[in-house]
Amino acid sequence: MADVEQQAMLPVVSEVRKRRAPKAPELPIVERRNWLIHQHYILQDYETCKVVIKEQLQETNGMCEYAIYVQALILRLEGKIQQSLELFQSCAILNPNSADNLKQVARSLFLLGKHKAAIEFYREAARLNENDWEISHNLGVCHFFIKDFRHAEEHLNIALQLHKHDTTFMMLGKVHLLAGETDKAIEVYKRAVEFSPENTELLTTLGLLFLSLAKFQKAFEYLGNALTFDPNNYKAILAAGSMMQTHGDFDVAMNKYRVAACAMPESPPLWNNIGMCFFGKKKYVAAISCLKRAHYLSPFDWKVLYNLGLVHLTMQQYASAFHFLSAAINLSPRLGELYMLLAVALTNLDDVENATRAYEQAVNLDHDKKGALSQYQEMERKVNTLRDSSSSFDFDPELIDMAQKMGAALQVTESVVWTKPCKDSKSKASSGAATPSPGAPLGTNQALGQAMSSAASYNKNIQLPTRRSTSLDPDPDVDNVPNPPSDPPGSPEPGQAEDHSPKRKSKAEE
């Protein structure tokens, strides 16, 4: 009975075995190793991948599209952009209806800086695939680089309609900023933050925009949110510290900069801001040490050179100030304040002729009559205050003459303050060049006021008290910089900052 059952089951088992073990299909020789090429590529085993690609191309006489495509990708990763472009063009010839091949050709052209040629290939790819976000985004980027902001904005908006992406928002904001449309850029970044509320780069960028517009409350709000999600966000920390530094909170700003220094010890803006914090605290030797480190990290940053010249002027080291200010002028020749400070240094170096030329150049560059009138009226207000409060000031007739000429040039109708005093007279209305009270700047920039006091103290025996100084508006942007010195600068002793330039001391500093 058992034998009968066993004989009845044998045909069924053999039939099942036949169904479970069908013969493997024969793949075309062109695609036989594609799976192996793909596997080695995603595992980043590029050397083995290139060996398999070579074997595949030999078998197919160079007609395997996928093998050529992956080989071009590997060459691009190795930095061989021109060779990868040629291979992608071969792929496009083998399969002209593939949008991916055209996109890769356009990408290689873009990396080679051929933006107009890349636009043509992206447009051809868009014709084959109209709903591709990547194509629209890259078209916007290419138009951005050729400064065609109108078409760049158009394509980036199309990309956002297809798919909202943080990089597209960032690029569209840059387009508006370079086009001078700050309000539109802010609106774009606000939409981006609504879409991605935890993106610290977007929050920081929006905070920096409000900071540039002097909207400090909004800037603090967005920068604070960025630091909430990423307490070590270098850009946000530096921007927050720069705001505190601008308002004179040097100690709080220094605490922020300590945190930033751990994350980015090679940042020129960071060491520039630290140096100007020391300058604001009147620790000039430490300020020079930090500023020289910033100069080492970014030798072509005119702001660092400007600050170095400013600090040396304050320390009455005029030869060093002349050196740094001349270098800053070579990098930024259209800034009138640089020529003004250079003229102060030249005056104290007894080079009257070149000092006069520097002052003339400063006047030619800074011809903002409205701003000059505002500063002139502010100076008159301060002089009136001092005149009413005390009558024990000595005045310089040359400065009185200069003030009268400025009033005439600015067409000031009422200049009662600027009247010449009689000899040995110390009347209240004698001069507008009276010494300001301690802490009162000659202009809106206290640091410039302090540097200008050196020139006045050299020309006449006027008591000009040392003023509290602030830094330039710190730049929170971070660029790629070379490696820093091995040891961070500390706060050296005052004897370490010697300068062999001619020095003259005012009465206030003797």
Side-chain angles (χ1 to χ4, degrees), residues 360-388:
E360 290 175 352
Q361 184 66 18
V363 171
N364 292 333
L365 292 174
D366 286 347
H367 53 273
D368 184 2
K369 183 176 179 180
K370 184 177 179 181
L373 180 61
S374 175
Q375 295 298 323
Y376 184 88
Q377 292 173 345
E378 178 67 14
M379 184 163 52
E380 278 194 329
R381 185 186 66 79
K382 292 181 181 295
V383 169
N384 282 326
T385 302
L386 292 172
R387 182 192 61 185
D388 296 337

Side-chain angles (χ1 to χ4, degrees), residues 281-472:
K281 297 174 72 174
K282 300 180 182 178
K283 296 181 179 180
Y284 302 127
V285 177
I288 290 176
S289 178
C290 294
L291 287 171
K292 284 190 174 180
R293 177 173 182 133
H295 177 55
Y296 171 82
L297 294 171
S298 182
F300 299 110
D301 190 342
W302 68 267
K303 293 183 180 180
V304 177
L305 294 167
Y306 178 106
N307 289 335
L308 276 167
L310 192 63
V311 177
H312 281 292
L313 269 182
T314 305
M315 296 181 69
Q316 297 187 348
Q317 297 173 346
Y318 303 115
S320 297
F322 172 80
H323 167 73
F324 289 112
L325 291 171
S326 298
I329 287 174
N330 288 330
L331 296 171
S332 181
R334 305 299 301 172
L335 187 64
E337 291 180 2
L338 286 172
Y339 289 96
M340 183 183 68
L341 293 181
L342 183 66
V344 174
L346 290 169
T347 301
N348 286 276
L349 291 173
D350 297 327
D351 191 350
V352 178
E353 181 181 356
N354 287 322
T356 303
R357 293 178 180 175
Y359 276 125
E360 290 175 352
Q361 184 66 18
V363 171
N364 292 333
L365 292 174
D366 286 347
H367 53 273
D368 184 2
K369 183 176 179 180
K370 184 177 179 181
L373 180 61
S374 175
Q375 295 298 323
Y376 184 88
Q377 292 173 345
E378 178 67 14
M379 184 163 52
E380 278 194 329
R381 185 186 66 79
K382 292 181 181 295
V383 169
N384 282 326
T385 302
L386 292 172
R387 182 192 61 185
D388 296 337
S389 61
S390 175
S391 61
S392 60
F393 291 99
D394 293 332
F395 304 111
D396 180 11
E398 291 185 8
L399 293 180
I400 297 174
D401 291 338
M402 180 62 67
Q404 288 178 332
K405 292 178 181 178
M406 289 174 58
L410 294 172
Q411 298 179 354
V412 179
T413 55
E414 298 180 1
S415 55
V416 183
V417 176
W418 306 110
T419 57
K420 290 187 178 181
C422 299
K423 290 185 178 180
D424 301 328
S425 174
K426 296 182 180 180
S427 62
K428 294 181 181 179
S430 59
S431 172
T435 304
S437 61
L442 292 178
T444 56
N445 192 319
Q446 295 176 346
L448 290 178
Q450 183 172 356
M452 291 296 292
S453 69
S454 301
S457 65
Y458 168 73
N459 289 326
K460 298 295 176 182
N461 294 326
I462 307 174
Q463 291 185 358
L464 288 173
T466 304
R467 295 173 178 81
R468 190 179 185 185
S469 303
T470 58
S471 67
L472 295 174

Side-chain angles (χ1 to χ4, degrees), residues 225-247:
N225 290 337
L227 291 173
T228 299
F229 295 113
D230 184 9
N232 296 321
N233 188 307
Y234 161 71
K235 289 185 180 180
I237 293 173
L238 189 58
S242 69
M243 278 195 293
M244 297 169 187
Q245 181 177 352
T246 302
H247 289 83

Side-chain angles (χ1 to χ4, degrees), residues 38-56:
H38 178 74
Q39 183 177 8
H40 286 298
Y41 179 77
I42 63 174
L43 293 175
Q44 299 182 3
D45 185 5
Y46 300 132
E47 295 301 323
T48 307
C49 187
K50 287 191 287 187
V51 172
V52 178
I53 289 173
K54 184 177 180 181
E55 296 175 355
Q56 179 81 337

